[in-house]
Every structure is written in structure tokens, then in C-alpha cells.
Amino acid sequence: MKKLSVLFALILLMVSCQKKNTIEVITENLPDKTKVEIYIRSLDFNEPEMVVSGAIEGGKAVLDNPFTEGEWAYLSIKESEDVNHIVLFIGEPGAITIRFDKNNPDKSTVEGTANNKKVQQFMEDTRPISEKMNAFVEKNMSRMQELSESTPTESDQQELKKLREEYKGFANEFDTTIKKYEAANRDNAFGLIMFVELMNMQEKALTEYKADFDKYPEALRTSKFGKRIEARINDLVENEGKEVVTFEIGDKLPEFKGLTPEDNELTLSSFLEGKKLVLVDVWASWCGPCRQENPNVVKTYEDYHKLGFDIIGYSLDKDKAAWVKAIAADKLTWAQVSNLQFWKDPIVADYGIQGIPANYLIDGNGVIVAMDLRGNELGEKIKELLVK
């Protein structure tokens, strides 16, 4: 009987341990089989590392928790080929519960561990700021772009200045909240995460950020996450002062080359032969904003291709199968090239690309006439140039 009791106790202990080291994703308004993946968030342009995956069954997915210490992580919920939801959290040992409602994605919650309680409180504190900022952008961004691109009167200049100051006020409010949380959590992983966000703001010299990092406890600095931060700081210091390529309207876009899905080399100069107006569209299959913009690019191509508008897509993909699949799924019928080198692709440095999607509207000689056009702006600009 005693041996049975010991065995029973061991079984209970094993079950208890299993329950205490999981990531449970509880969802609403998502169908079964929806794919969920946990990634370690990259601190630079390297590809994020997926550490565990699963699928929704009966409104939830229970995943093994792979984290042995604190890491900046995120949950990816792939609703469809075009829609991918992201929930940030801290990957750490314990039972973590993430709640997500497709109809209210901005109100996701993270529960269960000490640091994630802080993440949740931070999200609740910053949500009103984000809501005000989003409402401001929706109401005023087109007007701000209009004022920036035209030759403004004195009255227009005052209006633009006022709008920019109002937007900056929201940004400052957000930054202040980050600083408050970082100062209150310098003995834990959440504090390090807030430190990374502060470092990304670049309000101080890198040497000052390095000195701030060195003040964190040694156990944090030598953790996996701490070492990643240290490597990022060292990389930034090493590259500090290097000139970043920038373009202006009227500049000639540099040459590039890549392979088509059929493995044929194609250069920008050869593609431009006989063309009137071309969009160089830098994207990737893994880039959510790129995929969301693709339907607009497709429509614009269909509307103006017969008038002389053409596109060449340049992908920062790494996986050829994923790239080719995205081309077919998004119905991208124009020329496509890639070197399958992710952020190490030569175009990133040659064009000074800091994020994607990025696009460059050029004439037949490769001269830039517009850059980074989104939504209706793309079609309106092409209509302005081609429809006389």
C-alpha cells in the first residue's frame, strides 16, 4: 500500500508539473485548426525563432512551455494567408494563459506569471494612449500628408505644426509610461524589455544606453535575453556613424539583381527597357503589412497596366516555397525577384531599407517620382502621371 501511495504521489507530481509549465491560448471567434505559433522576438533584422506551435481545438490550444528563463516573445495566430495576429508576452517558466478574441484583438490579455502580470498592466495603461493615437491618425494623417507634400501657406504651416505637436504629445505620453515601467523593474526581465524599447527610441547616445545596461544585475545581463541585448548594443556601437542610404525625389534608383521563381536572373535595368512607369515593390511572404497591402497593389496594376504602368516585386524572403506560394495566393502576376537572403539581401543596405513594405515609383530611366505610397495614394499618383 505504501508503494502504491508513493507511486500515486509521483503521478500527481508529474501532472502538477505539466500543468504548471504550459502556455494556454484561449480564443473566441476563431475556427478549429487555426494555427498558433510562439516565437522569440528578434532584437534586430534577424529572422525570429519559432519555439513551439499548435492548433486551436475547441477554442483553445495548450502548448508545452519551452522557456527556462525570461525572453521577449510573441504569439502568432494565423487566421488566414493574409491575416496574422500578434500578442506580445514574456516567455518564462510557469503556466501562462493568453486570451484572444478575433473580434477584439486589441484587448488580448496575458496572465499567469509574475512578469506577464506586469505586461498586462502595461498594456492596460497604454491602451487608452494607443486608442487616442489611432483615432488621431485615422482622422488627420491624410491631411498631414497633404500639407507636407504641397507648397503650404503660412496658415497651412501653422495647421501642420499644431497637428504634429498633438501627435508628438501622444508619443511622449507613451514614452513616459515605458520609462516609468523600466525604472520600476530594473531587477527583472520585464525591466530589460522596457530598456530595449527605450533604446529603440534613440533619445540618448549608445554609450549611455550601454552604461544603463551595465547597471542591471549580473544575473540578468548574463541571461540568454541579456546576452542578446548586449550583442545588439555592441552591433549598434560598431555600426554607429556609418552613413545610411537615403533617397529623394529625382534621384536615380541603384541597380539590383535577383532570381525569378524560375531561377532566371533579372536586373532592374533590363526590366526597365521600354517601360514608362514602374513600381519597385519590396516585400516578403512573412510580412503581414505587405500581404495586407497586396490587394491594393493588385487592383492598381489591373487599373493602369494597359496605360503603361508595371511592377517588379523584390522579396526579402528566405524560404522559396513560402515566397512562391504567397505570389500565387495574392495573385501577383507581375515580375518577381529574390535572392532569398532575408535581411542580409544586398538591397537592404543599397537602398537603406529600415522596414517593409517599401516601394519606389520610377520612370523608364529609373528616376524616382514617388516613394512609399500606400492605399489610394498609389493609384492617385499613377493616375496623375499616366492619365492626361
Side-chain angles (χ1 to χ4, degrees), residues 296-306 309-311 333-334:
N296 174 64
V297 182
V298 169
K299 183 179 185 305
T300 305
Y301 181 78
E302 292 172 346
D303 288 346
Y304 297 103
H305 180 55
K306 290 182 179 179
F309 171 62
D310 215 327
I311 304 175
T333 57
W334 49 85

Side-chain angles (χ1 to χ4, degrees), residues 28-277:
E28 293 184 43
N29 301 304
L30 280 173
D32 283 353
K33 308 299 183 184
T34 298
K35 192 173 183 180
V36 295
E37 298 171 330
I38 303 293
Y39 287 86
I40 294 175
R41 189 180 182 191
S42 175
L43 301 184
D44 49 27
F45 287 137
N46 287 322
E47 192 170 6
E49 178 188 355
M50 188 184 75
V51 290
V52 66
S53 65
I56 300 298
E57 294 290 345
K60 70 178 182 180
V62 181
L63 310 174
D64 290 334
N65 185 342
F67 297 101
T68 56
E69 54 184 71
E71 275 280 6
W72 202 199
Y74 67 88
L75 164 70
S76 167
I77 301 176
K78 197 170 183 63
E79 182 183 343
S80 67
E81 286 291 339
D82 301 324
V83 182
N84 190 37
H85 302 283
I86 300 295
V87 181
L88 294 171
F89 71 101
I90 295 181
E92 59 185 354
I96 299 172
T97 301
I98 302 174
R99 299 180 187 276
F100 174 85
D101 181 354
K102 187 188 81 170
N103 295 340
N104 293 285
D106 294 335
K107 295 185 178 179
S108 303
T109 63
V110 185
E111 309 161 357
T113 60
N115 279 315
N116 279 305
K117 289 178 182 177
K118 295 171 184 176
V119 171
Q120 186 58 38
Q121 187 60 55
F122 174 78
M123 290 168 62
E124 291 173 4
D125 285 353
T126 55
R127 185 174 292 120
I129 305 171
S130 299
E131 289 174 349
K132 287 187 292 184
M133 186 179 289
N134 289 337
F136 175 86
V137 168
E138 186 175 344
K139 180 180 178 182
N140 299 293
M141 192 53 67
S142 60
R143 177 58 177 162
M144 290 175 71
Q145 290 175 338
E146 180 185 335
L147 292 170
S148 299
E149 294 170 358
S150 63
T151 304
T153 64
E154 185 175 344
S155 174
D156 289 340
Q157 290 176 341
Q158 291 299 318
E159 181 185 356
L160 181 58
K161 181 181 178 182
K162 182 180 178 182
L163 288 170
R164 283 176 172 169
E165 287 177 350
E166 189 175 351
Y167 181 82
K168 187 177 179 181
F170 296 133
N172 288 342
E173 193 176 350
F174 197 87
D175 295 351
T176 299
T177 306
I178 293 176
K179 290 174 182 176
K180 181 184 75 172
Y181 273 88
E182 189 272 338
N185 290 280
R186 289 177 180 161
D187 61 346
N188 58 65
F190 182 63
L192 272 182
I193 287 169
M194 293 290 96
F195 169 78
V196 170
E197 296 303 318
L198 290 178
M199 190 171 65
N200 289 339
M201 295 176 195
Q202 300 181 4
E203 292 182 348
K204 300 190 295 187
L206 284 171
T207 52
E208 293 181 84
Y209 286 119
K210 190 175 189 310
D212 290 343
F213 175 73
D214 289 341
K215 293 175 184 176
Y216 275 83
E218 183 180 3
L220 284 173
R221 288 186 283 110
T222 57
S223 67
K224 290 180 182 178
F225 185 49
K227 288 179 179 177
R228 290 207 296 132
I229 295 172
E230 184 177 34
R232 178 59 175 158
I233 292 173
N234 291 338
D235 183 56
L236 290 171
V237 170
E238 182 180 340
N239 289 284
E240 191 173 25
K242 289 185 179 179
E243 188 175 347
V244 177
V245 175
T246 58
F247 297 128
E248 295 181 357
I249 306 302
D251 289 343
K252 186 169 182 177
L253 207 59
E255 176 72 297
F256 65 66
K257 65 180 178 180
L259 296 178
T260 68
E262 296 76 30
D263 293 327
N264 298 316
E265 185 175 277
L266 181 62
T267 64
L268 176 60
S269 56
S270 62
F271 182 77
L272 285 178
E273 292 177 7
K275 301 292 195 304
K276 292 170 62 176
L277 191 65

